[in-house]
Amino acid sequence: MSDNDDMVMVTHFNARITADGPWPAEPGRYRLVVNKACPWASRSLIVRRLMGLEDAISVGVTDPIQDERSWRFTLDPDGRDPVLGIRYLAEAYEAVRPGYDGGVSVPAIVDIASGRLVTNDHNTITIDLATQWSKYARPDAPDLYPQALRPEIDQVIEDLAEDVNLGVYKAGFATTQKAYDEAYQRLFDRLDELENRLSTQRYLVGDSITEADIRFFVTLVRFDVVYHGHFKCNRNKLTEMPVLWAYARDLFQTPGFGDTVDFDHIKEHYYRVHTDVNPSGIVAGGPDLSGWHSPHGRD
């Protein structure tokens, strides 16, 4: 596993963009940089879409394949982000800290005028988009982090982070049988618990979509595509867990979720970048993805 992989989520820049802080929420001021393969970056795309912030904060999408300088804008004409004018996201990091040679992660929010990275703190980016940009959100935007439910949401996402979001990586990149076995067991114990929880309620916390559902979805949508085989998380597929499979389809078919997913980018990144796990770089042909559009019955 390289230091530039999306598994490495060490936060070096954690400023907050708030309604009235030193980095104020202002339409047109910032550029959100993502990679559609990365689950942490996908969270920010979903929140931006659900909140209706497309006109307030623009998005730059990097190539799913990294090189020695990490995330690059080779999908854009001339290999440059059309707004920031840079070839590599690392340039925004270096604009803040000259000579910076640490990890480069997404999501990242860049101040357009200065070209400086503001934050790459994936844990707070989505919370702030959901709570600090409300002035610019669509009138019927959901409350993704309701005040009364925050303690419960925080506990759920803490459990998800350790056992599920990171759990698949702990299993996939394990270098000892013991480490793999522990991660594998914790992952499926937690999935079984959540399968049971969601058998009696539509969403993880409360009766509407919250930050917790978004954080769970980004792992579920990658599960059969890459985690089941590539990361050896293969006790069963998502499609073999009836409640979680219906729950995942319910979210996928909700505007803001499935329309921000790029299965091709996901497969290209995981199978081609993780050469220690898949030395051949061969990208798997399956699985069949048509089931994501089948009726879910959760409503």
Side-chain angles (χ1 to χ4, degrees), residues 93-240:
Y93 282 64
E94 293 159 3
V96 179
R97 193 174 300 169
Y100 176 78
D101 61 357
V104 177
S105 66
V106 287
I109 296 184
V110 180
D111 178 54
I112 295 173
S114 67
R116 293 163 59 93
L117 176 73
V118 178
T119 177
N120 67 346
D121 189 336
H122 62 96
N123 275 319
T124 59
I125 284 175
T126 51
I127 297 295
D128 291 344
L129 285 173
T131 61
Q132 301 298 309
W133 290 75
S134 56
K135 181 178 178 180
Y136 310 107
R138 59 186 174 89
D140 58 344
D143 186 354
L144 299 174
Y145 196 50
Q147 187 73 44
L149 297 177
R150 288 181 187 180
E152 186 177 359
I153 292 172
D154 290 345
Q155 183 59 61
V156 170
I157 63 180
E158 181 180 339
D159 293 339
L160 280 171
E162 287 304 311
D163 297 340
V164 179
N165 303 139
L166 284 171
V168 292
Y169 283 88
K170 292 175 183 177
F173 288 114
T175 57
T176 67
Q177 190 68 49
K178 180 180 179 181
Y180 167 77
D181 289 345
E182 180 180 344
Y184 176 98
Q185 191 63 50
R186 289 185 63 174
L187 167 66
F188 283 102
D189 283 350
R190 185 67 67 185
L191 290 179
D192 288 342
E193 175 191 314
L194 293 169
E195 171 104 342
N196 183 62
R197 181 187 185 107
L198 288 164
S199 68
T200 59
Q201 59 193 69
R202 187 173 183 181
Y203 303 112
L204 283 175
V205 182
D207 56 5
S208 61
I209 292 168
T210 67
E211 178 78 14
D213 298 295
I214 295 165
R215 297 192 184 205
F216 194 19
F217 172 80
V218 296
T219 295
L220 292 180
V221 81
R222 289 161 174 76
F223 202 88
D224 289 3
V225 177
V226 287
Y227 299 148
H228 177 270
H230 183 58
F231 278 177
K232 306 182 188 69
C233 299
N234 59 358
R235 189 196 73 179
N236 50 258
K237 296 178 180 178
L238 171 64
T239 54
E240 296 166 348

Side-chain angles (χ1 to χ4, degrees), residues 252-296:
F252 185 88
Q253 294 168 29
T254 300
F257 285 86
D259 51 15
T260 62
V261 173
D262 191 318
F263 287 115
D264 289 336
H265 277 212
I266 291 168
K267 290 166 67 173
E268 283 286 309
H269 174 78
Y270 281 85
Y271 283 109
R272 292 183 59 189
V273 172
H274 300 161
T275 54
D276 45 351
V277 177
N278 185 40
S280 69
I282 294 173
V283 179
D288 178 11
L289 301 172
S290 60
W292 282 102
H293 300 281
S294 64
H296 54 77

